[in-house]
Amino acid sequence: MKYFLLLLLIIPFFFSCSPTVENGSKFSVATWNMGEFFDSREDGNEFSGWKESDGWNDEKYKERIKKSVMYIASNFDGADVIILEEVESEDVLISLLEGGLKREGYLYYGIAQNESQLNVAFISKIKPLSVKLLFIPEARPMLSLDFLVGEERVRVIGVHLRSRLKDENQEIREEELMMLKGEIEECDYPLIILGDFNIDPILHSEEMGDGRNGDSILILTGDGSTARNGRMFSPYLDYASPMNDGTYFYDGKWEKIDNILLNSFFFDGEGIEYCSSSIIKGADSADYSGRPVKYDKSTGKGLSDHFALKATFII
């Protein structure tokens, strides 16, 4: 299987931008599974329902771009780095930036691609110090980005782990978790892992949870002071202010499959420190019952079947 990273950095002459975030300010990251965001160029990789013969065309693509730009600009509160999942190509990222997100300060973008139709991507206000791919066979490549935040190097890993819809995916997903476990153990500075894990830390704790059963591959905690020795903090387990709802509603129940994991450096009282997390909703993203509304190309309604998730830090 072929893997490649397409990293494109836009720095128009009429922008004044800095590759860092200064001391005394806030830094924030977000993750959003965009829900099958295909571009309008038909190249044979599209899922059923996303071809011109299915009613998907350039006009509808541009309208979806416009809705997504408005949603991000209005509800993400200026997140510095956004990890996006289920993006077909760089064309989608270019359309988002050219459609208005450049004016919001998003000048940097990239996408990790293999033979999958949908990929992990990023847009950022901050220039990455480094970008690389993490991957195992048969899985989507992950993005690993380093940024200078204040005076500290911060690593951000964007993921979209293997789906739970097929039983045979479990072994691949466990390999992905083992690779992330290695990244956690080796990183000796602030580390953020975020994205769609396809794992609820409450429902699927045997894969990624609080370790009470002793079988979790990735062990999580809701107490930042105990986020050490490979244990990662998750806002869903936050003992002080847990988030009860999830980002995804499936089979009659909420699931917390989109997550943001933090290592001990965000809780050591020095440099960058964790502040809070929140689920991002907003106009046209939820129905009357507060559940996410998947984008419907026939009506133009909705955005994605996932809500976005954001974490904020103080520098």
Side-chain angles (χ1 to χ4, degrees), residues 271-305:
I272 184 169
E273 290 289 291
Y274 173 70
C275 181
S276 63
S277 293
S278 60
I279 294 173
I280 300 173
K281 299 185 180 181
D284 210 25
S285 69
D287 62 16
Y288 66 93
S289 62
R291 299 168 185 170
V293 180
K294 185 176 182 178
Y295 174 75
D296 185 342
K297 67 178 179 298
S298 65
T299 64
K301 302 293 184 181
L303 283 163
S304 171
D305 52 354

Side-chain angles (χ1 to χ4, degrees), residues 19 68 73 94 99 111 122 157 187-188 195 227 253-254 289 295:
S68 299
I94 293 171
I111 186 168
F122 81 92
I157 298 179
C187 189
D188 58 358
K253 61 179 179 293
W254 283 103
S289 62
Y295 174 75

Side-chain angles (χ1 to χ4, degrees), residues 12-203:
F13 69 90
F14 50 83
F15 276 104
S16 174
C17 59
S18 169
T20 69
V21 177
E22 300 301 325
N23 286 325
S25 59
K26 289 185 177 181
F27 170 74
S28 59
V29 297
T31 175
W32 185 28
N33 184 320
M34 302 189 81
E36 298 184 2
F37 209 127
F38 286 92
D39 59 40
S40 59
R41 174 171 43 87
E42 192 167 321
D43 54 17
N45 289 323
E46 291 76 18
F47 286 175
S48 175
W50 294 102
K51 300 178 182 179
E52 188 174 355
S53 58
D54 301 314
W56 181 240
N57 54 44
D58 194 54
E59 181 181 356
K60 291 183 177 180
Y61 169 72
K62 290 178 180 177
E63 184 60 31
R64 188 178 185 186
I65 286 290
K66 181 179 178 180
K67 284 165 56 72
S68 299
V69 167
M70 291 177 63
Y71 175 61
I72 291 173
S74 301
N75 297 284
F76 281 57
D77 195 26
D80 297 287
V81 179
I82 303 176
I83 299 295
L84 301 169
E85 299 89 51
E86 297 201 7
V87 175
E88 182 188 13
S89 70
E90 69 275 13
D91 289 354
V92 176
L93 301 177
I94 293 171
S95 296
L96 289 170
L97 270 63
E98 295 295 339
L101 290 184
K102 275 202 301 188
R103 291 193 298 271
E104 300 294 323
Y106 295 98
L107 309 180
Y108 308 95
Y109 65 98
I111 186 168
Q113 291 187 271
N114 60 2
E115 296 172 0
S116 173
Q117 295 93 337
L118 298 170
N119 307 283
V120 179
F122 81 92
I123 59 174
S124 174
K125 294 183 176 183
I126 312 167
K127 183 179 179 180
L129 297 174
S130 66
V131 184
K132 67 177 182 178
L133 293 183
L134 306 174
F135 54 84
I136 61 171
E138 307 304 323
R140 300 179 190 90
M142 306 175 193
L143 275 171
S144 179
L145 308 101
D146 280 17
F147 298 93
L148 184 61
V149 181
E151 298 178 356
E152 294 184 87
R153 193 180 189 100
V154 175
R155 176 159 294 173
V156 176
I157 298 179
V159 308
H160 187 185
L161 303 193
R162 201 70 174 198
S163 168
R164 308 192 73 82
L165 294 180
K166 295 181 180 179
D167 292 340
E168 57 265 32
N169 285 343
Q170 180 176 351
E171 184 175 345
I172 298 172
R173 196 169 52 252
E174 290 178 354
E175 288 184 53
E176 292 177 291
L177 290 171
M178 288 300 298
M179 183 174 65
L180 288 174
K181 184 176 181 179
E183 293 293 317
I184 292 168
E185 292 173 349
E186 293 176 9
C187 189
D188 58 358
Y189 49 91
L191 170 65
I192 304 169
I193 306 177
L194 74 167
D196 182 350
F197 290 81
N198 273 306
I199 300 169
D200 185 306
I202 309 300
L203 301 176

